[in-house]
């Protein structure tokens, strides 16, 4: 039996993640059935689940991929830039419209909550690090603890995701993000 190259495996995994992202965006977590995942990826269930243990594993792999990408941006340019990227390329983040389903599962499924927290920790760590550096440089307000700023930005991020998921992407949201950014900067 011939061995499959690492490049081929990586390409197949990427194909699955891209198709799954579209499927979760269109049908939500519950509606993204195995049949729909097969259609969206163009692959059989055997091929899909050769790379991912189950639907949760596939969903969490998407979360990890996006968290890593967002953490890279947040570390260098801040969480508001992550939000600007969401506005500029909503098709890359539309699967996050499943956030309501995620929120339900976080409340009702301890194992899912544990795994989700692991994946979102990278973005939180990058955000905290960036905020601390900006505070040290005198660019951010110093009257609030960093964890309050993180909570505020996370709340805005969740609201933006909900807004994009409901189909209300562009309406002055860039100006709103300007306001958010200004609200965390040091005045004077």
């Amino acid at each position: 039996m011939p061995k499959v190259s690492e490049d081929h495996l990586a390409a197949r995994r990427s194909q699955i993640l891209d198709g799954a992202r579209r499927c979760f965006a269109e049908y939500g977590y519950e509606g993204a059935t195995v049949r729909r995942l097969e259609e969206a990826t163009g692959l059989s269930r055997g091929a899909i689940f050769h790379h991912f243990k189950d639907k949760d594993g596939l969903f969490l792999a998407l979360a990890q991929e996006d968290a890593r990408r967002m953490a890279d941006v947040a570390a260098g340019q801040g969480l508001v830039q992550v939000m600007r990227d969401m506005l500029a390329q909503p098709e890359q983040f539309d699967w996050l419209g499943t956030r309501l389903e995620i929120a339900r599962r976080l409340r009702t499924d301890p194992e899912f909550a544990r795994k989700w927290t692991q994946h979102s920790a990278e973005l939180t760590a990058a955000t905290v690090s960036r905020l601390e550096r900006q505070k040290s440089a005198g660019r951010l307000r110093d009257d609030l603890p960093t964890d309050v700023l993180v909570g505020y930005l996370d709340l805005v991020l969740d609201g933006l995701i909900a807004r994009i998921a409901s189909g209300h992407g562009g309406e002055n949201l860039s100006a709103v993000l300007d306001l958010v950014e200004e609200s965390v900067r040091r005045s004077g």
Side-chain angles (χ1 to χ4, degrees):
M1 180 178 261
K3 289 195 175 205
V4 178
S5 74
E6 289 298 318
D7 288 345
H8 177 76
L9 290 174
R12 180 59 52 98
R13 182 178 168 83
S14 181
Q15 176 185 357
I16 294 166
L17 289 171
D18 290 345
R21 180 178 281 108
R22 289 188 307 274
C23 189
F24 286 125
E26 185 171 350
Y27 299 106
Y29 180 84
E30 295 299 329
T33 62
V34 172
R35 183 183 57 74
R36 285 179 171 154
L37 286 166
E38 287 175 318
E39 290 170 5
T41 62
L43 299 170
S44 70
R45 71 186 62 216
I48 295 168
F49 296 119
H50 170 76
H51 293 273
F52 302 95
K53 179 182 173 195
D54 53 21
K55 189 165 98 170
D56 269 0
L58 177 56
F59 189 79
L60 289 167
L62 278 174
Q64 182 177 27
E65 183 179 85
D66 284 1
R68 188 173 298 121
R69 185 178 58 215
M70 291 188 293
D72 288 346
V73 173
Q77 301 169 10
L79 193 58
V80 172
Q81 184 59 48
V82 170
M83 294 183 237
R84 290 186 192 287
D85 290 350
M86 288 179 169
L87 287 179
Q89 300 172 325
E91 70 283 352
Q92 289 296 312
F93 298 94
D94 55 1
W95 77 276
L96 288 173
T98 61
R99 281 294 258 243
L100 293 176
E101 291 171 289
I102 293 168
R104 179 190 57 79
R105 292 199 62 205
L106 290 174
R107 285 191 323 274
T108 61
D109 185 341
E111 181 62 16
F112 181 84
R114 184 186 65 74
K115 290 176 182 175
W116 182 263
T117 300
Q118 287 174 341
H119 295 302
S120 62
E122 187 174 359
L123 178 57
T124 300
T127 301
V128 167
S129 177
R130 166 87 175 168
L131 290 173
E132 290 293 339
R133 287 192 316 272
Q134 294 293 84
K135 263 188 174 185
S136 294
R139 293 185 193 109
L140 289 185
R141 42 188 307 179
D142 57 5
D143 62 327
L144 296 171
T146 301
D147 65 323
V148 171
L149 292 173
V150 170
Y152 169 63
L153 292 173
D154 280 345
L155 185 62
V156 172
L157 176 62
D158 286 344
L160 179 67
I161 290 168
R163 187 77 180 219
I164 290 171
S166 69
H168 298 92
E171 303 124 21
N172 297 322
L173 291 181
S174 184
V176 170
L177 292 180
D178 291 343
L179 178 64
V180 169
E181 202 164 37
E182 190 61 36
S183 72
V184 297
R185 286 194 183 132
R186 185 179 202 142
S187 60

